[in-house]
Amino acid sequence: MTYTKTTGIKTTITRLLKKPLFLILCSLYMSPAGAQTATSAYQPGVTPDGAVYFLPTTAVRVTVQMEKAVYTPGDFALYAERFLRLKDVPTEPNTAYRILSINQTAIGVPDTSKVFSVKFNNKTSAINMALSEDGIILALNTQPVPQASPTPFKAAPKPAAVNPRQYMNEEILAAGSLAKMAQLTAQEIYDVRDSRSQLIKGQADFMPKDGEQMKMMLGQMDQQEKALTSLFAGTTARDTIERTFVIAPSGELTMQPLFRFSKRFGLVDSDDMSGEPYSICVQNQTQLPATDAVQAAKRKKAENGFYYNIPGKMRCIIYKGNKAVSQEDFPAAQFGNVELLSGDLFNKHYGTRLRMNPVTGGIDKLEAEQPK
């Protein structure tokens, strides 16, 4: 059994993978030693009455959530300090971004260097093989654990915008200049603040009958003050944006560029120096020495069975410049070894059930019932 490259076999693999994911393999290859499952290297253009499956490699999905803040100056921005003592109020629109979170999760993707074909014969009992949509082996003789799809990102709904002009009285609207409108609006804000203070102190001419009415009146005053103040201070509309990156390292990585981030433009191209670089490092944390997987497969080419991964461990660190901002440890197929599960367990004398890990290709659960 040897590993094979996928060059030239795309059409054949695609044809096999378009079959139902839960394949009923109704016959296994009979060897002279007895009924066994025979696995062999898949050769380009050769699929003799069998199935093709991949072992996975472990990739990292990096999810970046950002906030986009769009500032719009108010109509009276030039008079903000004069009438309301608000300093350094911007008079031009601008957009700013900031990163809210960076999260890492491990996912399994097909390892095209670990593709195997299975031949079968009609003289043995049936085997059920479950494959993922992209051909990764998931289970034999049992149902795989349902894999939850990533929840599509959906930004929180924004509150409806309030038109501040609906709180302007007749005198403000009839003012002959922008400066006069700003002055009268500022006076209206001060009047609202004074009325709220009297209401809280219990000195208002019209006091509410109960606490619920008091809460409603204070809420209306807060909304009126906020709307009128926005004519001076401006408004900021905020949206949350999510971006996802998938990295499938074949080995260790040292400060590999991931993305660049600009406070003015958000995520920018990798060659755009306006953005600060974010990089990823992948470290092999496996304690046991790894074997040469390809050579190990060649030594076992005469054996029968199903291949699986014994995963190692990797540490993924994301850096902002030279500062680590996210670190996670994951089991990783590419830092482990490939082993063979004997085909003797899958002949007609055993009721063997095997469930594989879709992220690492390791064995999650193995049950073998010996004949009575």
Side-chain angles (χ1 to χ4, degrees), residues 76 79-86 168-169 172 178-194 225 228-229 231-232:
F76 306 148
Y79 305 98
E81 184 172 3
R82 178 179 174 183
F83 294 123
L84 290 183
R85 302 295 186 266
L86 299 177
M168 290 182 174
N169 56 37
I172 296 174
L178 191 65
K180 186 62 175 179
M181 290 182 69
Q183 180 183 9
L184 294 173
T185 301
Q187 185 58 55
E188 183 71 11
I189 292 172
Y190 290 127
D191 289 345
V192 171
R193 292 176 180 176
D194 184 60
E225 181 187 354
L228 293 175
T229 302
L231 290 167
F232 295 89

PDB file of all heavy atoms in Angstrom, residues 76 79-86 168-169 172 178-194 225 228-229 231-232:
ATOM      1  N   PHE A  76     -24.868  71.034  13.100  1.00  0.00           N
ATOM      2  CA  PHE A  76     -24.352  72.152  13.889  1.00  0.00           C
ATOM      3  C   PHE A  76     -22.969  71.845  14.462  1.00  0.00           C
ATOM      4  O   PHE A  76     -22.583  72.378  15.505  1.00  0.00           O
ATOM      5  CB  PHE A  76     -25.310  72.469  15.051  1.00  0.00           C
ATOM      6  CG  PHE A  76     -26.736  72.712  14.639  1.00  0.00           C
ATOM      7  CD1 PHE A  76     -27.785  72.357  15.479  1.00  0.00           C
ATOM      8  CD2 PHE A  76     -27.042  73.292  13.418  1.00  0.00           C
ATOM      9  CE1 PHE A  76     -29.096  72.570  15.111  1.00  0.00           C
ATOM     10  CE2 PHE A  76     -28.359  73.516  13.042  1.00  0.00           C
ATOM     11  CZ  PHE A  76     -29.393  73.157  13.880  1.00  0.00           C
ATOM     12  N   TYR A  79     -20.686  74.567  15.687  1.00  0.00           N
ATOM     13  CA  TYR A  79     -21.095  75.344  16.869  1.00  0.00           C
ATOM     14  C   TYR A  79     -21.105  74.489  18.143  1.00  0.00           C
ATOM     15  O   TYR A  79     -21.624  74.922  19.172  1.00  0.00           O
ATOM     16  CB  TYR A  79     -22.490  75.939  16.641  1.00  0.00           C
ATOM     17  CG  TYR A  79     -22.589  76.758  15.380  1.00  0.00           C
ATOM     18  CD1 TYR A  79     -23.109  76.199  14.216  1.00  0.00           C
ATOM     19  CD2 TYR A  79     -22.155  78.081  15.350  1.00  0.00           C
ATOM     20  CE1 TYR A  79     -23.201  76.946  13.041  1.00  0.00           C
ATOM     21  CE2 TYR A  79     -22.243  78.834  14.177  1.00  0.00           C
ATOM     22  CZ  TYR A  79     -22.758  78.262  13.026  1.00  0.00           C
ATOM     23  OH  TYR A  79     -22.826  79.007  11.887  1.00  0.00           O
ATOM     24  N   ALA A  80     -20.537  73.280  18.054  1.00  0.00           N
ATOM     25  CA  ALA A  80     -20.600  72.361  19.191  1.00  0.00           C
ATOM     26  C   ALA A  80     -19.881  72.914  20.416  1.00  0.00           C
ATOM     27  O   ALA A  80     -20.401  72.840  21.539  1.00  0.00           O
ATOM     28  CB  ALA A  80     -19.999  71.007  18.795  1.00  0.00           C
ATOM     29  N   GLU A  81     -18.707  73.488  20.225  1.00  0.00           N
ATOM     30  CA  GLU A  81     -17.964  74.012  21.381  1.00  0.00           C
ATOM     31  C   GLU A  81     -18.568  75.334  21.861  1.00  0.00           C
ATOM     32  O   GLU A  81     -18.634  75.597  23.069  1.00  0.00           O
ATOM     33  CB  GLU A  81     -16.497  74.213  21.004  1.00  0.00           C
ATOM     34  CG  GLU A  81     -15.643  74.663  22.187  1.00  0.00           C
ATOM     35  CD  GLU A  81     -14.168  74.680  21.870  1.00  0.00           C
ATOM     36  OE1 GLU A  81     -13.787  74.404  20.703  1.00  0.00           O
ATOM     37  OE2 GLU A  81     -13.375  74.966  22.789  1.00  0.00           O
ATOM     38  N   ARG A  82     -19.052  76.121  20.943  1.00  0.00           N
ATOM     39  CA  ARG A  82     -19.588  77.442  21.297  1.00  0.00           C
ATOM     40  C   ARG A  82     -20.841  77.347  22.160  1.00  0.00           C
ATOM     41  O   ARG A  82     -20.975  78.068  23.162  1.00  0.00           O
ATOM     42  CB  ARG A  82     -19.888  78.216  20.020  1.00  0.00           C
ATOM     43  CG  ARG A  82     -20.499  79.598  20.238  1.00  0.00           C
ATOM     44  CD  ARG A  82     -20.721  80.274  18.903  1.00  0.00           C
ATOM     45  NE  ARG A  82     -21.425  81.548  19.036  1.00  0.00           N
ATOM     46  CZ  ARG A  82     -21.797  82.307  18.004  1.00  0.00           C
ATOM     47  NH1 ARG A  82     -21.526  81.902  16.757  1.00  0.00           N
ATOM     48  NH2 ARG A  82     -22.434  83.452  18.211  1.00  0.00           N
ATOM     49  N   PHE A  83     -21.764  76.451  21.801  1.00  0.00           N
ATOM     50  CA  PHE A  83     -23.044  76.409  22.506  1.00  0.00           C
ATOM     51  C   PHE A  83     -23.171  75.261  23.509  1.00  0.00           C
ATOM     52  O   PHE A  83     -23.948  75.379  24.467  1.00  0.00           O
ATOM     53  CB  PHE A  83     -24.193  76.320  21.500  1.00  0.00           C
ATOM     54  CG  PHE A  83     -24.338  77.549  20.634  1.00  0.00           C
ATOM     55  CD1 PHE A  83     -24.296  77.459  19.252  1.00  0.00           C
ATOM     56  CD2 PHE A  83     -24.519  78.799  21.209  1.00  0.00           C
ATOM     57  CE1 PHE A  83     -24.435  78.579  18.455  1.00  0.00           C
ATOM     58  CE2 PHE A  83     -24.654  79.941  20.416  1.00  0.00           C
ATOM     59  CZ  PHE A  83     -24.599  79.833  19.033  1.00  0.00           C
ATOM     60  N   LEU A  84     -22.448  74.169  23.311  1.00  0.00           N
ATOM     61  CA  LEU A  84     -22.569  73.018  24.220  1.00  0.00           C
ATOM     62  C   LEU A  84     -21.264  72.648  24.914  1.00  0.00           C
ATOM     63  O   LEU A  84     -21.221  71.671  25.672  1.00  0.00           O
ATOM     64  CB  LEU A  84     -23.096  71.790  23.466  1.00  0.00           C
ATOM     65  CG  LEU A  84     -24.554  71.829  23.007  1.00  0.00           C
ATOM     66  CD1 LEU A  84     -24.916  70.493  22.337  1.00  0.00           C
ATOM     67  CD2 LEU A  84     -25.503  72.083  24.187  1.00  0.00           C
ATOM     68  N   ARG A  85     -20.200  73.402  24.652  1.00  0.00           N
ATOM     69  CA  ARG A  85     -18.888  73.147  25.258  1.00  0.00           C
ATOM     70  C   ARG A  85     -18.355  71.745  24.905  1.00  0.00           C
ATOM     71  O   ARG A  85     -17.671  71.112  25.700  1.00  0.00           O
ATOM     72  CB  ARG A  85     -18.945  73.312  26.775  1.00  0.00           C
ATOM     73  CG  ARG A  85     -19.409  74.683  27.254  1.00  0.00           C
ATOM     74  CD  ARG A  85     -18.404  75.774  26.845  1.00  0.00           C
ATOM     75  NE  ARG A  85     -18.748  77.065  27.416  1.00  0.00           N
ATOM     76  CZ  ARG A  85     -19.476  77.990  26.793  1.00  0.00           C
ATOM     77  NH1 ARG A  85     -19.973  77.737  25.582  1.00  0.00           N
ATOM     78  NH2 ARG A  85     -19.727  79.150  27.363  1.00  0.00           N
ATOM     79  N   LEU A  86     -18.675  71.289  23.721  1.00  0.00           N
ATOM     80  CA  LEU A  86     -18.146  70.008  23.239  1.00  0.00           C
ATOM     81  C   LEU A  86     -16.882  70.281  22.434  1.00  0.00           C
ATOM     82  O   LEU A  86     -16.918  70.976  21.419  1.00  0.00           O
ATOM     83  CB  LEU A  86     -19.180  69.291  22.359  1.00  0.00           C
ATOM     84  CG  LEU A  86     -20.504  68.915  23.012  1.00  0.00           C
ATOM     85  CD1 LEU A  86     -21.450  68.285  21.988  1.00  0.00           C
ATOM     86  CD2 LEU A  86     -20.274  67.961  24.165  1.00  0.00           C
ATOM     87  N   MET A 168     -37.502  69.516  17.035  1.00  0.00           N
ATOM     88  CA  MET A 168     -37.328  70.966  16.954  1.00  0.00           C
ATOM     89  C   MET A 168     -38.685  71.664  17.061  1.00  0.00           C
ATOM     90  O   MET A 168     -39.654  71.237  16.420  1.00  0.00           O
ATOM     91  CB  MET A 168     -36.666  71.351  15.627  1.00  0.00           C
ATOM     92  CG  MET A 168     -35.217  70.951  15.501  1.00  0.00           C
ATOM     93  SD  MET A 168     -34.525  71.509  13.911  1.00  0.00           S
ATOM     94  CE  MET A 168     -32.798  71.063  14.121  1.00  0.00           C
ATOM     95  N   ASN A 169     -38.734  72.723  17.856  1.00  0.00           N
ATOM     96  CA  ASN A 169     -39.987  73.483  17.976  1.00  0.00           C
ATOM     97  C   ASN A 169     -40.100  74.497  16.843  1.00  0.00           C
ATOM     98  O   ASN A 169     -39.189  74.648  16.019  1.00  0.00           O
ATOM     99  CB  ASN A 169     -40.092  74.168  19.342  1.00  0.00           C
ATOM    100  CG  ASN A 169     -38.898  75.076  19.618  1.00  0.00           C
ATOM    101  OD1 ASN A 169     -38.376  75.730  18.706  1.00  0.00           O
ATOM    102  ND2 ASN A 169     -38.472  75.126  20.876  1.00  0.00           N
ATOM    103  N   ILE A 172     -37.266  77.186  16.465  1.00  0.00           N
ATOM    104  CA  ILE A 172     -35.995  76.716  15.886  1.00  0.00           C
ATOM    105  C   ILE A 172     -36.122  76.621  14.366  1.00  0.00           C
ATOM    106  O   ILE A 172     -35.249  77.075  13.628  1.00  0.00           O
ATOM    107  CB  ILE A 172     -35.606  75.351  16.478  1.00  0.00           C
ATOM    108  CG1 ILE A 172     -35.344  75.470  17.978  1.00  0.00           C
ATOM    109  CG2 ILE A 172     -34.380  74.780  15.769  1.00  0.00           C
ATOM    110  CD1 ILE A 172     -35.102  74.145  18.673  1.00  0.00           C
ATOM    111  N   LEU A 178     -28.241  79.368  10.262  1.00  0.00           N
ATOM    112  CA  LEU A 178     -27.807  78.115  10.885  1.00  0.00           C
ATOM    113  C   LEU A 178     -27.308  78.373  12.297  1.00  0.00           C
ATOM    114  O   LEU A 178     -27.567  77.576  13.214  1.00  0.00           O
ATOM    115  CB  LEU A 178     -26.709  77.466  10.034  1.00  0.00           C
ATOM    116  CG  LEU A 178     -26.329  76.027  10.399  1.00  0.00           C
ATOM    117  CD1 LEU A 178     -27.508  75.079  10.146  1.00  0.00           C
ATOM    118  CD2 LEU A 178     -25.108  75.561   9.598  1.00  0.00           C
ATOM    119  N   ALA A 179     -26.615  79.477  12.491  1.00  0.00           N
ATOM    120  CA  ALA A 179     -26.104  79.816  13.819  1.00  0.00           C
ATOM    121  C   ALA A 179     -27.251  80.025  14.803  1.00  0.00           C
ATOM    122  O   ALA A 179     -27.180  79.590  15.958  1.00  0.00           O
ATOM    123  CB  ALA A 179     -25.227  81.061  13.749  1.00  0.00           C
ATOM    124  N   LYS A 180     -28.307  80.697  14.356  1.00  0.00           N
ATOM    125  CA  LYS A 180     -29.452  80.938  15.231  1.00  0.00           C
ATOM    126  C   LYS A 180     -30.158  79.630  15.547  1.00  0.00           C
ATOM    127  O   LYS A 180     -30.571  79.396  16.696  1.00  0.00           O
ATOM    128  CB  LYS A 180     -30.424  81.913  14.551  1.00  0.00           C
ATOM    129  CG  LYS A 180     -31.588  82.343  15.443  1.00  0.00           C
ATOM    130  CD  LYS A 180     -31.081  83.091  16.684  1.00  0.00           C
ATOM    131  CE  LYS A 180     -32.245  83.620  17.517  1.00  0.00           C
ATOM    132  NZ  LYS A 180     -31.783  84.329  18.727  1.00  0.00           N
ATOM    133  N   MET A 181     -30.285  78.742  14.556  1.00  0.00           N
ATOM    134  CA  MET A 181     -30.894  77.443  14.803  1.00  0.00           C
ATOM    135  C   MET A 181     -30.082  76.650  15.835  1.00  0.00           C
ATOM    136  O   MET A 181     -30.644  76.005  16.726  1.00  0.00           O
ATOM    137  CB  MET A 181     -30.994  76.642  13.495  1.00  0.00           C
ATOM    138  CG  MET A 181     -32.004  77.168  12.490  1.00  0.00           C
ATOM    139  SD  MET A 181     -32.095  76.121  11.003  1.00  0.00           S
ATOM    140  CE  MET A 181     -32.849  74.630  11.688  1.00  0.00           C
ATOM    141  N   ALA A 182     -28.766  76.708  15.716  1.00  0.00           N
ATOM    142  CA  ALA A 182     -27.899  76.001  16.662  1.00  0.00           C
ATOM    143  C   ALA A 182     -28.064  76.561  18.070  1.00  0.00           C
ATOM    144  O   ALA A 182     -28.134  75.807  19.048  1.00  0.00           O
ATOM    145  CB  ALA A 182     -26.448  76.105  16.208  1.00  0.00           C
ATOM    146  N   GLN A 183     -28.150  77.886  18.185  1.00  0.00           N
ATOM    147  CA  GLN A 183     -28.305  78.519  19.499  1.00  0.00           C
ATOM    148  C   GLN A 183     -29.625  78.113  20.153  1.00  0.00           C
ATOM    149  O   GLN A 183     -29.672  77.755  21.340  1.00  0.00           O
ATOM    150  CB  GLN A 183     -28.237  80.035  19.352  1.00  0.00           C
ATOM    151  CG  GLN A 183     -28.389  80.774  20.676  1.00  0.00           C
ATOM    152  CD  GLN A 183     -28.403  82.286  20.499  1.00  0.00           C
ATOM    153  OE1 GLN A 183     -28.471  82.787  19.370  1.00  0.00           O
ATOM    154  NE2 GLN A 183     -28.339  83.006  21.600  1.00  0.00           N
ATOM    155  N   LEU A 184     -30.717  78.147  19.374  1.00  0.00           N
ATOM    156  CA  LEU A 184     -32.026  77.792  19.923  1.00  0.00           C
ATOM    157  C   LEU A 184     -32.107  76.293  20.255  1.00  0.00           C
ATOM    158  O   LEU A 184     -32.746  75.905  21.240  1.00  0.00           O
ATOM    159  CB  LEU A 184     -33.125  78.170  18.929  1.00  0.00           C
ATOM    160  CG  LEU A 184     -33.307  79.687  18.674  1.00  0.00           C
ATOM    161  CD1 LEU A 184     -34.306  79.918  17.548  1.00  0.00           C
ATOM    162  CD2 LEU A 184     -33.761  80.385  19.961  1.00  0.00           C
ATOM    163  N   THR A 185     -31.454  75.462  19.437  1.00  0.00           N
ATOM    164  CA  THR A 185     -31.437  74.024  19.719  1.00  0.00           C
ATOM    165  C   THR A 185     -30.673  73.737  20.999  1.00  0.00           C
ATOM    166  O   THR A 185     -31.089  72.904  21.821  1.00  0.00           O
ATOM    167  CB  THR A 185     -30.798  73.253  18.545  1.00  0.00           C
ATOM    168  OG1 THR A 185     -31.549  73.502  17.352  1.00  0.00           O
ATOM    169  CG2 THR A 185     -30.794  71.755  18.822  1.00  0.00           C
ATOM    170  N   ALA A 186     -29.559  74.421  21.200  1.00  0.00           N
ATOM    171  CA  ALA A 186     -28.786  74.249  22.434  1.00  0.00           C
ATOM    172  C   ALA A 186     -29.615  74.657  23.647  1.00  0.00           C
ATOM    173  O   ALA A 186     -29.587  73.985  24.685  1.00  0.00           O
ATOM    174  CB  ALA A 186     -27.500  75.071  22.363  1.00  0.00           C
ATOM    175  N   GLN A 187     -30.377  75.735  23.508  1.00  0.00           N
ATOM    176  CA  GLN A 187     -31.223  76.167  24.619  1.00  0.00           C
ATOM    177  C   GLN A 187     -32.295  75.125  24.913  1.00  0.00           C
ATOM    178  O   GLN A 187     -32.629  74.863  26.077  1.00  0.00           O
ATOM    179  CB  GLN A 187     -31.883  77.515  24.284  1.00  0.00           C
ATOM    180  CG  GLN A 187     -32.689  78.118  25.414  1.00  0.00           C
ATOM    181  CD  GLN A 187     -31.857  78.344  26.663  1.00  0.00           C
ATOM    182  OE1 GLN A 187     -30.813  79.011  26.610  1.00  0.00           O
ATOM    183  NE2 GLN A 187     -32.298  77.804  27.797  1.00  0.00           N
ATOM    184  N   GLU A 188     -32.829  74.488  23.863  1.00  0.00           N
ATOM    185  CA  GLU A 188     -33.831  73.439  24.050  1.00  0.00           C
ATOM    186  C   GLU A 188     -33.215  72.240  24.795  1.00  0.00           C
ATOM    187  O   GLU A 188     -33.862  71.631  25.658  1.00  0.00           O
ATOM    188  CB  GLU A 188     -34.378  72.998  22.689  1.00  0.00           C
ATOM    189  CG  GLU A 188     -35.473  71.958  22.757  1.00  0.00           C
ATOM    190  CD  GLU A 188     -36.793  72.502  23.302  1.00  0.00           C
ATOM    191  OE1 GLU A 188     -36.928  73.746  23.429  1.00  0.00           O
ATOM    192  OE2 GLU A 188     -37.691  71.689  23.599  1.00  0.00           O
ATOM    193  N   ILE A 189     -31.967  71.924  24.496  1.00  0.00           N
ATOM    194  CA  ILE A 189     -31.283  70.820  25.196  1.00  0.00           C
ATOM    195  C   ILE A 189     -31.150  71.147  26.678  1.00  0.00           C
ATOM    196  O   ILE A 189     -31.406  70.297  27.542  1.00  0.00           O
ATOM    197  CB  ILE A 189     -29.904  70.562  24.556  1.00  0.00           C
ATOM    198  CG1 ILE A 189     -30.074  70.001  23.137  1.00  0.00           C
ATOM    199  CG2 ILE A 189     -29.079  69.600  25.404  1.00  0.00           C
ATOM    200  CD1 ILE A 189     -28.772  69.887  22.365  1.00  0.00           C
ATOM    201  N   TYR A 190     -30.749  72.379  26.976  1.00  0.00           N
ATOM    202  CA  TYR A 190     -30.618  72.777  28.383  1.00  0.00           C
ATOM    203  C   TYR A 190     -31.970  72.744  29.097  1.00  0.00           C
ATOM    204  O   TYR A 190     -32.061  72.360  30.279  1.00  0.00           O
ATOM    205  CB  TYR A 190     -30.003  74.181  28.493  1.00  0.00           C
ATOM    206  CG  TYR A 190     -28.537  74.223  28.104  1.00  0.00           C
ATOM    207  CD1 TYR A 190     -28.075  75.138  27.155  1.00  0.00           C
ATOM    208  CD2 TYR A 190     -27.618  73.354  28.689  1.00  0.00           C
ATOM    209  CE1 TYR A 190     -26.739  75.189  26.800  1.00  0.00           C
ATOM    210  CE2 TYR A 190     -26.275  73.397  28.341  1.00  0.00           C
ATOM    211  CZ  TYR A 190     -25.849  74.306  27.399  1.00  0.00           C
ATOM    212  OH  TYR A 190     -24.519  74.351  27.040  1.00  0.00           O
ATOM    213  N   ASP A 191     -33.040  73.119  28.409  1.00  0.00           N
ATOM    214  CA  ASP A 191     -34.377  73.074  29.012  1.00  0.00           C
ATOM    215  C   ASP A 191     -34.780  71.626  29.323  1.00  0.00           C
ATOM    216  O   ASP A 191     -35.380  71.348  30.369  1.00  0.00           O
ATOM    217  CB  ASP A 191     -35.407  73.707  28.065  1.00  0.00           C
ATOM    218  CG  ASP A 191     -35.258  75.227  27.966  1.00  0.00           C
ATOM    219  OD1 ASP A 191     -34.569  75.806  28.835  1.00  0.00           O
ATOM    220  OD2 ASP A 191     -35.806  75.809  27.000  1.00  0.00           O
ATOM    221  N   VAL A 192     -34.454  70.695  28.403  1.00  0.00           N
ATOM    222  CA  VAL A 192     -34.780  69.284  28.634  1.00  0.00           C
ATOM    223  C   VAL A 192     -34.021  68.764  29.848  1.00  0.00           C
ATOM    224  O   VAL A 192     -34.583  68.046  30.700  1.00  0.00           O
ATOM    225  CB  VAL A 192     -34.449  68.442  27.384  1.00  0.00           C
ATOM    226  CG1 VAL A 192     -34.577  66.946  27.694  1.00  0.00           C
ATOM    227  CG2 VAL A 192     -35.380  68.826  26.231  1.00  0.00           C
ATOM    228  N   ARG A 193     -32.754  69.130  29.964  1.00  0.00           N
ATOM    229  CA  ARG A 193     -31.952  68.694  31.109  1.00  0.00           C
ATOM    230  C   ARG A 193     -32.512  69.241  32.423  1.00  0.00           C
ATOM    231  O   ARG A 193     -32.561  68.540  33.439  1.00  0.00           O
ATOM    232  CB  ARG A 193     -30.502  69.145  30.924  1.00  0.00           C
ATOM    233  CG  ARG A 193     -29.776  68.445  29.795  1.00  0.00           C
ATOM    234  CD  ARG A 193     -28.375  69.026  29.608  1.00  0.00           C
ATOM    235  NE  ARG A 193     -27.668  68.358  28.513  1.00  0.00           N
ATOM    236  CZ  ARG A 193     -26.454  68.721  28.090  1.00  0.00           C
ATOM    237  NH1 ARG A 193     -25.830  69.756  28.676  1.00  0.00           N
ATOM    238  NH2 ARG A 193     -25.878  68.073  27.094  1.00  0.00           N
ATOM    239  N   ASP A 194     -32.950  70.508  32.384  1.00  0.00           N
ATOM    240  CA  ASP A 194     -33.503  71.119  33.596  1.00  0.00           C
ATOM    241  C   ASP A 194     -34.820  70.443  33.990  1.00  0.00           C
ATOM    242  O   ASP A 194     -35.057  70.167  35.177  1.00  0.00           O
ATOM    243  CB  ASP A 194     -33.720  72.616  33.353  1.00  0.00           C
ATOM    244  CG  ASP A 194     -34.206  73.339  34.601  1.00  0.00           C
ATOM    245  OD1 ASP A 194     -33.481  73.313  35.617  1.00  0.00           O
ATOM    246  OD2 ASP A 194     -35.323  73.903  34.556  1.00  0.00           O
ATOM    247  N   GLU A 225     -33.101  64.538  24.210  1.00  0.00           N
ATOM    248  CA  GLU A 225     -31.791  65.160  24.392  1.00  0.00           C
ATOM    249  C   GLU A 225     -30.738  64.521  23.473  1.00  0.00           C
ATOM    250  O   GLU A 225     -29.929  65.214  22.854  1.00  0.00           O
ATOM    251  CB  GLU A 225     -31.337  65.034  25.844  1.00  0.00           C
ATOM    252  CG  GLU A 225     -29.975  65.690  26.086  1.00  0.00           C
ATOM    253  CD  GLU A 225     -29.429  65.443  27.472  1.00  0.00           C
ATOM    254  OE1 GLU A 225     -30.148  64.852  28.309  1.00  0.00           O
ATOM    255  OE2 GLU A 225     -28.267  65.812  27.713  1.00  0.00           O
ATOM    256  N   LEU A 228     -31.290  65.693  19.760  1.00  0.00           N
ATOM    257  CA  LEU A 228     -30.891  67.088  19.526  1.00  0.00           C
ATOM    258  C   LEU A 228     -29.377  67.267  19.663  1.00  0.00           C
ATOM    259  O   LEU A 228     -28.766  68.031  18.912  1.00  0.00           O
ATOM    260  CB  LEU A 228     -31.639  68.016  20.487  1.00  0.00           C
ATOM    261  CG  LEU A 228     -33.156  68.120  20.273  1.00  0.00           C
ATOM    262  CD1 LEU A 228     -33.797  68.973  21.356  1.00  0.00           C
ATOM    263  CD2 LEU A 228     -33.462  68.682  18.885  1.00  0.00           C
ATOM    264  N   THR A 229     -28.761  66.554  20.602  1.00  0.00           N
ATOM    265  CA  THR A 229     -27.317  66.658  20.784  1.00  0.00           C
ATOM    266  C   THR A 229     -26.571  66.119  19.573  1.00  0.00           C
ATOM    267  O   THR A 229     -25.478  66.598  19.246  1.00  0.00           O
ATOM    268  CB  THR A 229     -26.879  65.903  22.051  1.00  0.00           C
ATOM    269  OG1 THR A 229     -27.565  66.447  23.189  1.00  0.00           O
ATOM    270  CG2 THR A 229     -25.385  66.036  22.286  1.00  0.00           C
ATOM    271  N   LEU A 231     -27.124  66.655  16.606  1.00  0.00           N
ATOM    272  CA  LEU A 231     -26.963  67.716  15.615  1.00  0.00           C
ATOM    273  C   LEU A 231     -25.647  68.456  15.818  1.00  0.00           C
ATOM    274  O   LEU A 231     -25.130  69.082  14.883  1.00  0.00           O
ATOM    275  CB  LEU A 231     -28.130  68.696  15.700  1.00  0.00           C
ATOM    276  CG  LEU A 231     -29.484  68.152  15.223  1.00  0.00           C
ATOM    277  CD1 LEU A 231     -30.619  69.083  15.654  1.00  0.00           C
ATOM    278  CD2 LEU A 231     -29.476  67.983  13.711  1.00  0.00           C
ATOM    279  N   PHE A 232     -25.099  68.396  17.025  1.00  0.00           N
ATOM    280  CA  PHE A 232     -23.808  69.010  17.328  1.00  0.00           C
ATOM    281  C   PHE A 232     -22.679  67.968  17.308  1.00  0.00           C
ATOM    282  O   PHE A 232     -21.641  68.183  16.682  1.00  0.00           O
ATOM    283  CB  PHE A 232     -23.845  69.683  18.714  1.00  0.00           C
ATOM    284  CG  PHE A 232     -24.780  70.834  18.804  1.00  0.00           C
ATOM    285  CD1 PHE A 232     -26.112  70.648  19.157  1.00  0.00           C
ATOM    286  CD2 PHE A 232     -24.351  72.133  18.544  1.00  0.00           C
ATOM    287  CE1 PHE A 232     -26.988  71.720  19.245  1.00  0.00           C
ATOM    288  CE2 PHE A 232     -25.224  73.209  18.633  1.00  0.00           C
ATOM    289  CZ  PHE A 232     -26.551  73.003  18.988  1.00  0.00           C
TER     290      PHE A 232
END
